[in-house]
Amino acid sequence: MKGKFGLLPRIFLAIVLGILLGLVVPKVIVEIMATFNSIFNGFLGFVVPLIIIAFIVPGIAQLGKGSGKLLGISTLIAYLSTLIAGFIAYFVASNLLPKLVGGTGSIELENPEEFLVGGLFEIGMPPMLDIMSALIFSFIMGLGISALKGDVLKKGFEEFSVIIEKVISYIIIPLLPIHIFGIFMNMTFGGQVAKVLSVFGVVFVLIIILHVFMLLLQYTTAGTLTGKNPLKLLKVMSPAYFTALGTQSSAATIPVTLRQARQTGASEKVTDFTVPLFATIHLSGSTITIVSCAIGVMLINGQDILLSSFIPFIFMLGITMIAAPGVPGGAVMAAIGLLDSMLGFNGAMLGLMIALYIAQDSFGTATNVTGDGALAIIVDKFSKGK
């Protein structure tokens, strides 16, 4: 039953019920849900540094082993693709979204901290590490483990990663719809939900357009380098796109992505190596979604969309995407720490961010895996003779 009624339908139902009940329930019900949200936000804040350590350390450590130059070329191209996707999303969304939704001033919520009803009580759950400490620790350990011949620490962090992934899969993800239900009930009770939904719709359409543009850019680059028709290459990879729409998982789509990538003409050696690697480290579609959604949520919250804030955020996001766990919404979970520490997101903003991201997660995943085919062609071109 759980498989038939997946996360996206549950999120959608939570939003609808939150809006409908927010119109009629008494304030005490909103306060009870606000209490739950406060506890959930506290738990999420406690777990975020652990998520960073659990996924970034093994992610970087695994990149230390492989096929030498082929690994280096593949990783560099994947990172560049992710950065390009992030900056395209920033420049398009930051310029178009304020115009499409009528400007920041017209959609800004009337002091989000005040219109949201507070909880009945709070439970303090201070994290063991702050976000930046967790990131620095993760980079030191990941790079250190990749340089060591032993695998004791590597196995330990991989087992820790499994534990945290289960926390995400069995606690955070199942509770997300309840959390989002509470947020939308609270916003409806405060009379702000119409403004939020108007932004949601525009952001969703913009993200899909940016996904298509990114795929065309990737395959135009691959086609130009190899002298092949980009649209024909994209057509060959289309089964991977539609498979990912259904599975919502890059890993589950690997067999189809691999089969189609071989048909593009890239060498079997390169496709067999790069496709499983890119399924882990190349998330251009997810990056477009996260950056665009972040700008949308910041507009809702009345924050300035500054390039000086987004440049380091996008560079760090490209690295953090390597750590994204393979669960629905995994990319945004990996990015929560950056949204908090670098863009100043609070609990309510993170809830909106997660809801908006998951609403189109399958499209982002489909863009990721389809782009893997283009990158495999590019890597094959640059690795010839090496």
Side-chain angles (χ1 to χ4, degrees):
M1 182 68 182
K2 184 178 178 181
K4 294 180 180 178
F5 197 64
L7 181 60
L8 178 55
R10 281 180 279 153
I11 294 289
F12 179 76
L13 182 62
I15 292 173
V16 173
L17 287 178
I19 293 171
L20 294 176
L21 292 179
L23 296 170
V24 297
V25 296
K27 185 177 181 180
V28 65
I29 302 298
V30 182
E31 289 176 334
I32 291 172
M33 287 308 306
T35 304
F36 168 82
N37 282 354
S38 173
I39 296 171
F40 182 84
N41 285 333
F43 179 72
L44 195 59
F46 177 84
V47 172
V48 164
L50 304 182
I51 292 175
I52 290 171
I53 294 169
F55 294 111
I56 288 184
V57 174
I60 294 177
Q62 288 169 5
L63 293 181
K65 296 180 179 180
S67 300
K69 290 183 179 179
L70 188 59
L71 173 66
I73 293 170
S74 301
T75 304
L76 177 61
I77 290 174
Y79 185 62
L80 287 175
S81 175
T82 302
L83 288 184
I84 291 169
F87 282 109
I88 288 173
Y90 169 79
F91 285 112
V92 173
S94 62
N95 283 287
L96 286 185
L97 279 181
K99 297 175 183 177
L100 292 173
V101 297
T104 307
S106 66
I107 62 168
E108 181 181 344
L109 299 178
E110 288 79 10
N111 198 341
E113 296 297 334
E114 291 183 6
F115 87 81
L116 288 176
V117 175
L120 299 172
F121 60 88
E122 294 183 1
I123 299 177
M125 285 180 269
M128 292 186 288
L129 287 172
D130 61 34
I131 302 298
M132 191 53 63
S133 298
L135 283 168
I136 294 171
F137 175 80
S138 299
F139 289 138
I140 291 173
M141 294 304 296
L143 292 170
I145 292 170
S146 70
L148 295 176
K149 294 182 179 180
D151 60 356
V152 176
L153 277 175
K154 185 171 182 287
K155 287 183 177 178
F157 278 105
E158 286 174 349
E159 290 181 359
F160 180 56
S161 177
V162 172
I163 293 171
I164 297 301
E165 187 165 339
K166 289 187 181 298
V167 171
I168 294 172
S169 299
Y170 294 105
I171 299 178
I172 294 177
I173 295 293
L175 291 178
L176 270 180
I178 302 174
H179 178 55
I180 291 167
F181 166 77
I183 289 174
F184 275 85
M185 176 188 285
N186 212 324
M187 287 191 302
T188 304
F189 188 84
Q192 303 296 327
V193 73
K195 296 180 179 180
V196 173
L197 292 179
S198 67
V199 178
F200 267 38
V202 174
V203 172
F204 187 92
V205 173
L206 181 62
I207 287 170
I208 301 301
I209 294 172
L210 288 173
H211 283 168
V212 173
F213 177 81
M214 189 64 195
L215 287 175
L216 289 173
L217 179 62
Q218 289 168 336
Y219 279 91
T220 297
T221 303
T224 301
L225 289 172
T226 58
K228 297 178 180 179
N229 187 320
L231 295 180
K232 288 184 178 179
L233 291 174
L234 192 53
K235 182 179 179 182
V236 170
M237 290 301 302
S238 60
Y241 183 92
F242 292 107
T243 302
L245 280 181
T247 63
Q248 205 171 333
S249 168
S250 297
T253 313
I254 285 176
V256 178
T257 311
L258 188 57
R259 183 191 68 201
Q260 300 308 122
R262 289 171 178 169
Q263 294 178 18
T264 63
S267 69
E268 189 170 321
K269 174 190 173 184
V270 169
T271 55
D272 287 357
F273 177 81
T274 57
V275 168
L277 177 66
F278 287 150
T280 304
I281 69 172
H282 177 236
L283 285 83
S284 57
S286 298
T287 300
I288 285 172
T289 305
I290 289 172
V291 173
S292 302
C293 291
I295 290 173
V297 172
M298 290 173 76
L299 281 173
I300 292 171
N301 210 54
Q303 291 182 248
D304 293 327
I305 315 299
L306 301 175
L307 178 61
S308 58
S309 298
F310 272 86
I311 288 177
F313 173 75
I314 292 170
F315 274 97
M316 289 298 296
L317 185 63
I319 297 172
T320 306
M321 287 298 93
I322 295 172
V327 296
V332 75
M333 286 296 160
I336 281 176
L338 300 181
L339 293 166
D340 179 356
S341 63
M342 302 185 79
L343 297 183
F345 276 40
N346 58 29
M349 292 172 73
L350 288 174
L352 291 175
M353 179 76 189
I354 293 168
L356 184 51
Y357 178 90
I358 290 176
Q360 65 72 64
D361 189 21
S362 57
F363 291 96
T365 302
T367 302
N368 294 339
V369 301
T370 308
D372 292 348
L375 267 60
I377 297 170
I378 296 171
V379 170
D380 186 51
K381 175 68 176 178
F382 281 108
S383 63
K384 290 286 176 64
K386 294 187 182 297

